[in-house]
Amino acid sequence: MVEKNRVILTLDEMPRKWYNISVDSPVPFPPPLNPATREPMPPEPLMELFPVECIKQEVSDKRYIDIPDELLDIYMNSLGRPSPLCRAVRLEKYLDTPAEIYYKREDLSPPGSHKPNTAVAQAYYAAKEGLETLTTETGAGQWGSALSYACALFGIKCKVFMVRISYEQKPLRKVIMNLYGADCVASPSDQTECGKEFLKDKAKYNGSLGIAISEAIEVAMKDPTAKYSLGSVLSFVLLHQSIVGEEVVKQFEKIDKVPDIMIGCVGGGSNFSGFCYPFLGKSLRKECKKIDIVAVEPTACPSMTNGEYRYDFGDTAKSTPLLKMYTLGCDFIPPPIHAGGLRYHGAAPSASLFVHEGLIRSVTYPQEEIFQSADLFAKVEGLIPAPETAHAIHHAIVEARKCKETGEKKVIVFNHSGHGLMDLSGYEQVLGI
Ligand SMILES: *Cc1c(COP(=O)(O)O)cnc(C)c1O
């Protein structure tokens, strides 16, 4: 008998709408504030920075938003959506656990992570608006690669500021961006006024996501044909990522199960939210049971777990509106861990609110532990995960081991947000191979 351990949706079953959880939130989302007045920010000034359609989505009060046909075409034919939901039978066997472990394959996109789900949407809206360039920042290089890829599909230019420590640790990421036609510079750079200021401060030389964001915003604001693109944190980004969770809902319907535990790693919160919110929404609408939803962070950058819940800037130069979120402070420079995508001082306002309200929870693990689990996952399942993804894998293993002790047959699912084939030097260093 052949076992069917991959739940796949046909192209006809592909969800055609993004899900906006603000409609189902039991408490209203705190609005972004203008830092000068501390009054709620109207959306209009943000439309000068981001593609207009994205900001309309940011403030939308519709539960579902239609995905344009051109994007559905790209989701299906370029990104290979719907992506499979796989059961980690070999891992279950290795752990000798009564739990069932599933993972959603977001590593199968051409750039290798979930990030193109929003990158193609942002490039599409930018191209439609007649823009010539999108600027952005990147930590580990995944977002820069994803946006470069998306801009190439729509024939627009892409300028990427890459956190210097990652630029040096992961030089091949730059090659990917260049292959897609993008311009990639190490941040802080001498190409912006704020970059020049940061360069004077030795402590800031390695860079941070907050610094790179400041540089990308500065370039976008000075060029009328350019706008800025963000790969996480904002509601419209999480909205685009909801395609992941909408598929997961349909996939669990197909096998007639509801997960007990859903797990995602959190940098800014986009893969986690995209993956969990459709199920969280169902449970808020009382259409399914309550699910234990777990956000996993690195011990080195524990924004949700140890941060303060307050208004803070999204970037180090304090150029963004104030966002209410769990934050370690916008000046916080995290240690140079290999999970570069998780080195962000804050977290998505909606996910922060849900942690604050007790609807989801967060945990942290140190780098050595998550790499041990990634090593195990590679050996038994055959996939080499990104160090970011390894955080989610590690917590899934922790939960599955608990089930072994208690005998509980929990259904555990995590988001396999990206592959680690560009992170092999991290594996080499941490595991000593
Ligand atoms: C960027 C990235 C993350 C972290 O970003 P989120 O917005 O929190 O999802 C996680 N995993 C992978 C593979 C990434 O590339």
Side-chain angles (χ1 to χ4, degrees), residues 16-329:
R16 283 172 159 67
K17 294 173 196 304
W18 288 308
Y19 168 62
N20 170 14
I21 199 166
S22 70
V23 178
D24 292 317
S25 174
V27 254
F29 288 1
L33 300 185
N34 178 334
T37 61
R38 291 193 77 92
E39 292 291 322
M41 264 301 259
E44 288 72 23
L46 290 175
M47 291 178 180
E48 285 166 34
L49 185 59
F50 294 98
V52 172
E53 196 56 37
C54 293
I55 295 306
K56 286 189 183 157
Q57 293 173 348
E58 182 75 14
V59 296
S60 169
D61 55 7
K62 290 197 338 210
R63 178 178 284 134
Y64 290 103
I65 294 176
D66 287 328
I67 303 172
D69 282 349
E70 296 93 319
L71 277 177
L72 279 175
D73 175 53
I74 287 186
Y75 274 178
M76 291 181 191
N77 300 313
S78 301
L79 296 183
R81 306 210 70 86
S83 77
L85 177 74
C86 298
R87 185 161 168 195
V89 269
R90 291 162 185 274
L91 180 61
E92 289 170 18
K93 207 169 277 172
Y94 175 88
L95 296 172
D96 189 24
T97 173
E100 290 180 20
I101 307 173
Y102 295 86
Y103 53 99
K104 177 70 168 163
R105 297 274 320 255
E106 288 302 308
D107 56 305
L108 294 171
S109 72
S113 77
H114 66 287
K115 290 194 169 84
N117 297 327
T118 182
V120 294
Q122 295 188 44
Y124 164 76
Y125 291 123
K128 229 178 129 192
E129 201 178 307
L131 297 171
E132 290 170 16
T133 304
L134 280 176
T135 71
T136 199
E137 76 294 334
T138 194
Q142 288 272 25
W143 171 243
S145 312
L147 192 69
S148 306
Y149 160 81
C151 286
L153 291 184
F154 288 100
I156 57 177
K157 285 185 265 178
C158 182
K159 173 138 188 130
V160 184
F161 289 90
M162 183 166 182
V163 176
R164 176 168 286 106
I165 184 77
S166 299
Y167 187 91
E168 284 164 7
Q169 277 177 350
K170 304 179 183 194
L172 296 180
R173 283 274 174 209
K174 176 173 170 284
V175 179
I176 296 181
M177 292 180 241
N178 291 157
L179 277 172
Y180 287 132
D183 177 21
C184 172
V185 292
S187 165
S189 77
D190 59 6
Q191 298 188 8
T192 63
E193 293 311 314
C194 67
K196 284 180 205 160
E197 282 305 307
F198 291 130
L199 279 175
K200 289 180 191 161
D201 181 350
K202 266 212 174 108
K204 298 208 158 81
Y205 184 77
N206 275 344
S208 72
L209 275 178
I211 291 174
I213 293 173
S214 307
E215 290 203 274
I217 289 180
E218 187 183 316
V219 172
M221 291 309 277
K222 283 187 178 156
D223 178 352
T225 67
K227 281 190 178 175
Y228 167 65
S229 178
L230 192 62
S232 191
V233 181
L234 295 180
S235 296
F236 73 80
V237 178
L238 277 46
L239 175 86
H240 300 153
Q241 292 296 350
S242 69
I243 186 66
V244 177
E246 286 293 315
E247 288 177 9
V248 171
V249 165
K250 283 199 168 186
Q251 285 166 316
F252 274 100
E253 275 170 10
K254 275 206 156 181
I255 54 174
D256 203 17
K257 290 176 198 268
V258 173
D260 296 295
I261 308 176
M262 296 188 85
I263 305 166
C265 62
V266 171
S270 75
N271 88 86
F272 168 79
S273 306
F275 171 67
C276 301
Y277 283 3
F279 254 122
L280 177 58
K282 266 172 90 75
S283 109
L284 290 171
R285 297 192 302 275
K286 306 269 185 281
E287 291 167 17
C288 75
K289 67 180 179 192
K290 189 174 186 315
I291 300 168
D292 181 19
I293 300 179
V294 189
V296 191
E297 300 186 305
T299 305
C301 191
S303 329
M304 285 177 150
T305 314
N306 294 343
E308 285 177 53
Y309 187 53
R310 63 171 167 88
Y311 274 101
D312 194 12
F313 291 97
D315 70 326
T316 311
K318 308 188 176 174
S319 39
T320 68
L322 290 168
L323 301 173
K324 185 145 189 198
M325 59 183 177
Y326 278 101
T327 174
L328 297 164

